[in-house]
Amino acid sequence: MALVTATDIMNQLHIDIDDIEKTTVQGLLDFATQYITNIVTNNGTIDDVVSGTNEKLVNTTLSTIVANLYYDRYLLESNGFSIGVQVLMNTLRNQYKGV
């Protein structure tokens, strides 16, 4: 298994794959990857997060963050990330830290 790609997420969300949408989703995926890395490890890499937790949980979290950002670009309507993203992020952080 490998980390989720922009195309994988677009297929999950039934987004038409064209250059503009793929660029948008890739940008959101890049942000989500950096966000997870910063929150969970402080100064590690996404590979550190995967090795300290598990790839399926990381992929689910990445996909969920991208979906949240894709449909609510500025997180204005939801007043931030969904409860689902918050639960996934807490789970990743706790697993990584061994809590």
Side-chain angles (χ1 to χ4, degrees):
M1 193 171 173
L3 285 177
V4 68
T5 66
T7 302
D8 295 333
I9 294 171
M10 292 174 78
N11 286 329
Q12 290 171 6
L13 299 175
H14 303 285
I15 298 170
D16 291 336
I17 298 176
D18 63 37
D19 290 342
I20 293 171
E21 289 302 308
K22 190 167 185 178
T23 299
T24 299
V25 172
Q26 184 61 56
L28 296 174
L29 180 57
D30 293 344
F31 170 80
T33 302
Q34 191 62 46
Y35 180 75
I36 288 172
T37 301
N38 289 343
I39 297 294
V40 174
T41 69
N42 294 328
N43 60 1
T45 67
I46 196 68
D47 292 332
D48 295 334
V49 177
V50 171
S51 65
T53 59
N54 70 71
E55 198 167 272
K56 187 170 183 163
L57 178 59
V58 172
N59 282 338
T60 300
T61 307
L62 285 168
S63 297
T64 305
I65 289 172
V66 170
N68 269 216
L69 290 170
Y70 185 81
Y71 292 113
D72 188 4
R73 224 37 79 78
Y74 301 104
L75 299 175
L76 297 176
E77 293 176 18
S78 60
N79 294 319
F81 283 121
S82 69
I83 297 295
V85 168
Q86 293 174 39
V87 168
L88 289 166
M89 287 300 299
N90 285 332
T91 302
L92 272 176
R93 189 175 28 236
N94 290 340
Q95 275 190 12
Y96 186 81
K97 293 181 179 181
V99 175

